[in-house]
């Protein structure tokens, strides 16, 4: 089995998830949730973790966090380990509470933090736990819309994208989350490459170099590094679409842009430069074409063939 890639450096930004063993509940009472949040607070105080977003479900949790000290493993060992000890003592049980190791995806912060925060905050609504996100007490959403304030939670970085004035930014963020078009909403994690990194082509190449520097090993020694190296380029995606769809197809370029944007991990600027269009046009084209794919089975079939050709295994078909 390939060794998991754990890239740690000062200032790294991660999406972290951890599930209950055998998908069992890890939170059975409000006191459990309160205790878990206390460990996030102590992780902030003791280990310098910057917690941007959290959401506690029944059998798992989500975090967006930053590590100024480059100590992700130490932070998660503290949080999961302390909570497991508490949970086991309270219920007179022993053994593992969480299913294996946590999953940590290294994320290009500026490119994905808004989208990831929205996707995480929407979890309780998507799961049918609540009808209104403001009913769910156990996520950072209430802090983002100004209904509560937790001292150890960092909301300013993401709210800053919605305006300099706090109240205005909170209203903007609320609209961004609550007025989402569900038909167009995608899981941003489908763009994760090699089960380890979410970001632009340049960011993924940087991640590969960081991992090599940290391990002192080459691509052949670590399967995940080899996979990062094999990430398809924009030109390779275009050739695959040409082979499957044909350059004369009226939707040829839309297929290229959609695959590159939704699953290739490229930034809007990178795709726009390649196809000689503006970044916002890339986003709009991708969003509109997603509707066409959802409505037309033949397009989904073509998408699957393209994904297989270039080795994008995260494509949902």
């Amino acid at each position: 089995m390939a060794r998991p890639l754990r890239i740690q450096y000062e200032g790294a930004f991660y999406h972290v998830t951890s599930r209950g063993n055998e998908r069992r509940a890890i939170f059975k009472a409000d006191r459990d949730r309160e205790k878990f949040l206390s460990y996030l607070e102590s992780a902030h105080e003791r280990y310098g973790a910057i917690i941007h977003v959290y959401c506690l479900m029944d059998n798992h949790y989500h975090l967006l966090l930053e590590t100024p000290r480059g100590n992700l493993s130490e932070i998660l060992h503290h949080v999961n380990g302390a909570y497991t000890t508490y949970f086991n003592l309270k219920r007179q049980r022993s053994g593992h509470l969480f299913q294996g190791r946590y999953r940590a995806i290294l994320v290009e912060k500026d490119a994905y933090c808004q989208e990831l925060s929205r996707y995480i905050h929407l979890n309780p609504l998507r799961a049918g736990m609540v009808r209104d996100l403001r009913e769910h007490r156990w996520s950072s959403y209430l802090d983002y819309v100004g209904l509560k304030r937790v001292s150890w939670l960092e909301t300013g970085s993401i709210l800053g994208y919605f305006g300099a004035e706090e109240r205005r930014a909170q209203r903007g963020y609320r609209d961004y989350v609550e007025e989402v078009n569900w038909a167009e909403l995608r899981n941003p994690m489908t763009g994760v490459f090699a089960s380890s990194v979410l970001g632009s082509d340049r960011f993924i190449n940087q991640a590969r170099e960081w991992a090599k520097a940290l391990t002192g090993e080459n691509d052949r020694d670590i399967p995940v590094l080899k996979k990062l190296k094999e990430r398809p380029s924009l030109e390779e995606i275009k050739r695959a679409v040409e082979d499957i769809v044909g350059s004369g197809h009226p939707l040829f370029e839309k297929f290229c842009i959609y695959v590159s944007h939704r699953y290739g991990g490229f930034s809007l600027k990178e795709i726009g430069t390649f196809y000689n269009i503006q970044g916002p046009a890339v986003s709009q084209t991708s969003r509109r074409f997603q509707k066409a794919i959802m409505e037309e089975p033949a397009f989904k079939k073509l998408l699957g063939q393209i994904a297989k050709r270039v080795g994008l295994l995260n494509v949902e078909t």
Side-chain angles (χ1 to χ4, degrees):
M1 181 180 294
R3 283 175 287 170
L5 188 61
R6 289 282 188 257
I7 304 174
Q8 299 189 114
Y9 59 90
E10 294 180 0
F13 189 80
Y14 302 91
H15 174 217
V16 176
T17 55
S18 195
R19 294 187 177 275
N21 199 25
E22 298 179 340
R23 295 184 177 270
R24 294 177 180 174
I26 58 174
F27 305 113
K28 294 188 175 183
D30 285 352
R31 177 56 182 158
D32 296 341
R33 297 173 178 88
E34 291 168 355
K35 198 69 175 177
F36 184 86
L37 295 182
S38 76
Y39 294 131
L40 292 185
E41 180 178 14
S42 57
H44 168 70
E45 293 173 347
R46 298 181 192 177
Y47 304 104
I50 299 177
I51 313 295
H52 291 271
V53 175
Y54 70 85
C55 184
L56 311 188
M57 304 295 282
D58 289 333
N59 67 353
H60 68 285
Y61 67 79
H62 293 263
L63 301 175
L64 279 186
L65 63 84
E66 198 168 354
T67 59
R69 302 177 191 172
N71 56 345
L72 178 71
S73 296
E74 192 174 28
I75 291 167
L76 269 295
H77 177 75
H78 167 71
V79 173
N80 282 6
Y83 183 72
T84 296
T85 299
Y86 152 80
F87 190 92
N88 284 353
L89 285 173
K90 181 179 179 181
R91 292 175 172 82
Q92 297 184 332
R93 67 182 296 274
S94 60
H96 298 292
L97 176 62
F98 293 99
Q99 181 178 298
R101 293 189 70 188
Y102 57 88
R103 185 188 187 200
I105 304 300
L106 180 67
V107 177
E108 188 171 11
K109 179 181 176 181
D110 290 336
Y112 288 91
C113 61
Q114 295 178 68
E115 190 178 8
L116 275 171
S117 73
R118 177 174 66 177
Y119 193 82
I120 290 171
H121 281 147
L122 284 170
N123 263 277
L125 199 61
R126 199 163 44 241
M129 296 172 65
V130 294
R131 293 185 178 182
D132 186 315
L133 284 179
R134 283 162 283 192
E135 297 173 3
H136 188 70
R137 297 168 50 201
W138 308 108
S139 86
S140 50
Y141 183 67
L142 296 180
D143 298 83
Y144 273 82
V145 297
L147 295 179
K148 73 173 183 178
R149 187 181 295 274
V150 174
S151 61
W152 49 265
L153 183 72
E154 168 57 47
T155 61
S157 295
I158 293 175
L159 285 179
Y161 291 102
F162 296 88
E165 196 276 316
E166 185 178 46
R167 287 296 180 186
R168 182 176 180 180
Q170 289 169 344
R171 289 193 298 270
Y173 187 80
R174 180 196 62 202
D175 294 343
Y176 173 69
V177 174
E178 296 186 12
E179 296 180 11
V180 64
N181 186 327
W182 287 94
E184 298 178 4
L185 183 67
R186 71 180 182 112
N187 181 352
M189 301 308 290
T190 57
V192 173
F193 198 78
S195 301
S196 302
V197 186
L198 178 63
S200 65
D201 195 38
R202 182 165 59 178
F203 184 77
I204 289 176
N205 286 333
Q206 287 177 339
R208 177 172 163 267
E209 294 305 315
W210 285 324
K212 287 172 65 177
L214 288 168
T215 61
E217 300 180 72
N218 60 40
D219 299 340
R220 291 173 295 183
D221 295 324
I222 303 180
V224 173
L225 291 183
K226 184 178 180 182
K227 191 172 182 181
L228 284 172
K229 184 178 181 180
E230 294 170 350
R231 180 179 185 268
S233 65
L234 284 166
E235 182 61 42
E236 289 170 331
I237 291 174
K238 183 178 179 180
R239 286 201 300 267
V241 176
E242 186 174 5
D243 291 343
I244 301 298
V245 176
S247 59
H249 194 287
L251 300 177
F252 168 70
E253 190 167 281
K254 291 183 179 180
F255 266 109
C256 293
I257 291 172
Y258 180 79
V259 174
S260 300
H261 178 220
R262 295 292 182 176
Y263 303 106
F266 297 96
S267 68
L268 297 179
K269 184 177 180 180
E270 288 172 326
I271 299 170
T273 299
F274 188 82
Y275 288 100
N276 197 30
I277 60 176
Q278 296 297 312
V282 172
S283 179
Q284 186 178 65
T285 297
S286 180
R287 184 174 64 251
R288 290 177 176 175
F289 192 55
Q290 185 177 33
K291 290 184 179 179
I293 288 177
M294 293 175 65
E295 295 169 357
E296 179 53 64
F299 291 171
K300 292 189 70 174
K301 183 177 180 181
L302 290 171
L303 179 62
Q305 293 173 352
I306 295 166
K308 184 177 181 180
R309 178 67 61 90
V310 295
L312 293 172
L313 302 180
N314 287 317
V315 176
E316 296 177 346
T317 59

